[in-house]
Amino acid sequence: MLKHGILGLLNYGEMTGYEIMGTFRDSLNFFWRAQTSQIYRELQILRERGLVEDRLVEQSGKPDKKIFSITHAGREELKRWLREDEAGLQTRSGILMRVFFRGEMGPEENREYFRSLQGKCQEFRQSLETAEGYTEEYAKALESEYKALYWKMTVDFGHRYMEMVSDWCEECMRKLEEMDEHIGDQREPQGEEE
């Protein structure tokens, strides 16, 4: 999917690898993380496949820079991918894998895990506010409210997803409390028989 993210960005205009990385960091990072090395490796593959091309721009007093642009074949690949019928709803989650096995840990440690996860959700939601700001900037630069609408939709999804995860953490902690009470009731000493 990284290649399609890069093609999507280059579809808006030419960029250097550094600019692609910056745009990922500013706008796509909250739902798709990419390392600088991954982006440059993918650009090389895209160039070899004829989906992007590059040109060298000489700069005085600075190293030359390589500017990438999407090709006609690259635009066709981007559109093919956008038309795919795959919903992309399959879940591959490190959080869920950890929670599945958390029965190996004690209840208090698990409650702390969910509290910590809630805190991370809050931090993430705050970072989405930064993404919203960049969305506005990019919309002005591209002069496209239509495209910006879709960027805003992804930010809205991020807010809703973090809210859902936070609510789920609250519910998990409530269930742990109920389990503690239930186990505690079973441990209560029974009255002496007469």
Side-chain angles (χ1 to χ4, degrees):
M1 271 223 237
L2 175 58
K3 78 175 181 180
H4 294 105
I6 293 170
L7 289 173
L9 292 177
L10 290 175
N11 194 47
Y12 297 136
E14 295 182 324
M15 293 185 192
T16 64
Y18 181 78
E19 289 168 333
I20 292 170
M21 186 63 226
T23 306
F24 251 92
R25 182 194 62 239
D26 296 342
S27 59
L28 304 176
N29 201 37
F30 78 90
F31 62 86
W32 195 270
R33 296 198 184 269
Q35 302 295 323
T36 304
S37 60
Q38 292 173 304
I39 288 174
Y40 280 103
R41 185 170 50 248
E42 198 62 53
L43 280 166
Q44 182 66 26
I45 293 167
L46 290 169
R47 191 178 65 71
E48 289 169 3
R49 293 183 180 165
L51 302 176
V52 302
E53 54 192 15
D54 59 27
R55 63 186 170 85
L56 207 56
V57 175
E58 293 182 20
Q59 302 186 106
S60 62
K62 295 191 247 180
D64 296 344
K65 66 180 178 179
K66 193 181 282 191
I67 298 179
F68 294 90
S69 58
I70 193 168
T71 63
H72 176 73
R75 265 190 204 87
E76 291 303 309
E77 172 57 22
L78 177 63
K79 288 178 181 177
R80 183 206 60 76
W81 175 71
L82 289 170
R83 289 183 180 115
E84 270 184 3
D85 197 21
E86 182 188 335
L89 295 175
Q90 57 273 38
T91 303
R92 184 177 176 182
S93 168
I95 292 171
L96 295 180
M97 182 69 85
R98 282 187 181 91
V99 170
F100 189 86
F101 293 108
R102 287 211 76 85
E104 299 302 313
M105 313 305 283
E108 187 51 46
E109 189 173 350
N110 286 335
R111 276 191 289 275
E112 182 52 39
Y113 172 78
F114 289 114
R115 276 192 290 273
S116 173
L117 190 53
Q118 273 186 315
K120 289 178 178 144
C121 287
Q122 184 58 35
E123 290 171 15
F124 193 85
R125 289 181 83 179
Q126 289 168 349
S127 75
L128 287 173
E129 293 170 15
T130 304
E132 285 173 310
Y134 283 115
T135 295
E136 295 296 330
E137 285 181 37
Y138 289 132
K140 288 175 189 169
L142 290 174
E143 298 178 356
S144 176
E145 287 185 37
Y146 179 73
K147 291 175 183 174
L149 173 65
Y150 294 94
W151 304 338
K152 290 174 185 176
M153 288 177 185
T154 62
V155 172
D156 180 52
F157 179 89
H159 279 296
R160 291 171 188 239
Y161 181 71
M162 288 299 113
E163 184 176 345
M164 183 278 299
V165 172
S166 186
D167 290 348
W168 173 73
C169 287
E170 195 66 39
E171 179 67 11
C172 290
M173 288 187 287
R174 186 188 64 73
K175 288 178 179 178
L176 285 169
E177 288 293 331
E178 286 177 359
M179 180 64 75
D180 279 354
E181 290 172 13
H182 176 72
I183 291 172
D185 290 345
Q186 290 179 349
R187 288 188 203 150
E188 290 288 319
Q190 301 296 321
E192 289 184 26
E193 290 184 18
E194 306 200 20

